[in-house]
Amino acid sequence: MNQTPTASELRNSLVDDVIMNVSLTRDVERALRTVSRETFLPGVDLKDTYADQAVIIKDNPGGPLALSCASVPSVVAMMLVQLDVQPGDDILEIGAGTGYNAALLAELTRTHGSVTTIDIDPDVALHARTMLNRAGYERVHVRERDGLVGAPENAPYDRILAAVGLWDVPAAWWDQLREGGRLVLPLRWRGQTQSVALTRRGDTLVSDDMALCGFVPIIGQDGERTAALNTDDTIRVHHDEDQAVDADALGASLRGAPVEVLSGQRIGGEESFDGVWLRATAGGDRVCRLEVTPDALAQERILRPAVPGRSPLLVDGDSFAYLIVRRECADPQRPFRLGAAAYGPRAQSLAQDLIAHIEAWGSARTSVARLTITPAKTDAAAGPGFVISKRESRLTLTY
């Protein structure tokens, strides 16, 4: 007779699965096997608690994204590895969520360090405080606070971890991170979000790792815009505030015939090609995100993008090109071929520009961009690389 697995068995099974995709340190693995996630998700079925998926803890009636959730465990683990917590570290977490992540951080910093977690939502902060107390982590400091302000009363910190999506690096955080300290945050630029691990060196943050991810955005940053290309709002372009997008002109071009160009790069069924997007953002200001809904695909309003909900897009005036994937039988190990679909008067040239990004990625598929960030208010000259200016910081990308 089959017995229902215990919480401990499910927890260890989940960590075993995470190890298959994330290279865990011994300390992070120990923390994941120690902290009872079910304590922080009361009322949630144990199988859902220990599935590698996000769990919403507070809905957002006014928008499509939740106000707060428990993040995907494998992403939590990956970011903890990036953070590289040492025993005795003082840590600030932005976005308290369920309190589970703060408990993991408390395990990592052990008894000689400190953990401060903050959340702008009073219900979420209260939930985190209650659950942390219930789990025996009373020493974690929980504050109801705007994450963009941080928690200067316990600063400076050796580590800052953001568990919410950021469009910019808040100026207030610089004074709260020690020299040599690490900042890990889901940072959004040109329509994609990367979990970036950075070390502070004076007035510069320098990355040594990044990985594609997705997070609930922080409240108070609004640097991204959305433009509908058709009247029923089923085809959209998401772009940053410094990018000019003429939705009417692009929508008019969409009614014309598309151009389709294939690259020489092929991929397997489980092989990621997200590096194409990252590569393109280091090469110009024209990169945005294309979103195509199932209704638009069903009505054949547009050639199918590589990932309908989020595909890299190049925009130039009244023309645009985006990533596509086509199945071929030439190579059974890599049966899918990457390419570009484009619309508008400059469709052919834009498609070729996107193909160039695909080929550059294909020549060094595991290469990751180096990101340096400086405060926008500094006079420091940008180093070599492509610069993206935001309200409070400057991003420089190099390969």
Side-chain angles (χ1 to χ4, degrees), residues 300-325:
E300 298 183 342
R301 297 285 185 87
I302 189 171
L303 288 177
R304 184 183 182 86
V307 182
R310 53 165 196 89
S311 285
L313 172 79
L314 298 185
V315 173
D316 187 357
D318 55 1
S319 303
F320 63 96
Y322 57 90
L323 191 67
I324 60 173
V325 178

Side-chain angles (χ1 to χ4, degrees), residues 45-77:
D45 183 84
L46 273 180
K47 288 187 177 180
D48 292 333
T49 296
Y50 286 108
D52 196 23
Q53 62 187 22
V55 178
I56 294 173
I57 63 169
K58 186 167 186 178
D59 288 311
N60 180 9
L65 298 176
L67 284 175
S68 185
C69 68
S71 300
V72 179
S74 58
V75 175
V76 169

Side-chain angles (χ1 to χ4, degrees), residues 213-248:
C213 65
F215 270 82
V216 173
I218 197 168
I219 294 173
Q221 287 188 343
D222 59 349
E224 192 172 62
R225 307 286 182 262
T226 300
L229 302 192
N230 56 350
T231 55
D232 51 358
D233 192 23
T234 59
I235 303 173
R236 309 178 188 112
V237 173
H238 300 268
H239 61 99
D240 289 337
E241 63 181 9
D242 64 313
Q243 296 174 295
V245 171
D246 188 336
D248 292 337

Side-chain angles (χ1 to χ4, degrees), residues 145-168:
R145 185 76 54 77
D146 183 350
L148 300 176
V149 175
E153 66 271 27
N154 292 335
Y157 302 97
D158 301 288
R159 302 287 189 271
I160 297 178
L161 174 68
V164 287
L166 278 296
W167 183 83
D168 200 355

Side-chain angles (χ1 to χ4, degrees), residues 50-126:
Y50 286 108
D52 196 23
Q53 62 187 22
V55 178
I56 294 173
I57 63 169
K58 186 167 186 178
D59 288 311
N60 180 9
L65 298 176
L67 284 175
S68 185
C69 68
S71 300
V72 179
S74 58
V75 175
V76 169
M78 178 266 293
M79 294 180 73
L80 290 177
V81 172
Q82 288 182 317
L83 194 63
D84 189 28
V85 176
Q86 301 300 308
D89 277 349
D90 296 318
I91 303 173
L92 171 63
E93 180 191 29
I94 312 296
T98 65
Y100 170 69
N101 217 41
L104 293 170
L105 292 169
E107 287 289 336
L108 291 169
T109 195
R110 301 183 186 176
T111 57
H112 301 298
S114 69
V115 177
T116 302
T117 185
I118 63 177
D119 206 287
I120 196 172
D121 189 296
D123 294 336
V124 174
L126 177 60

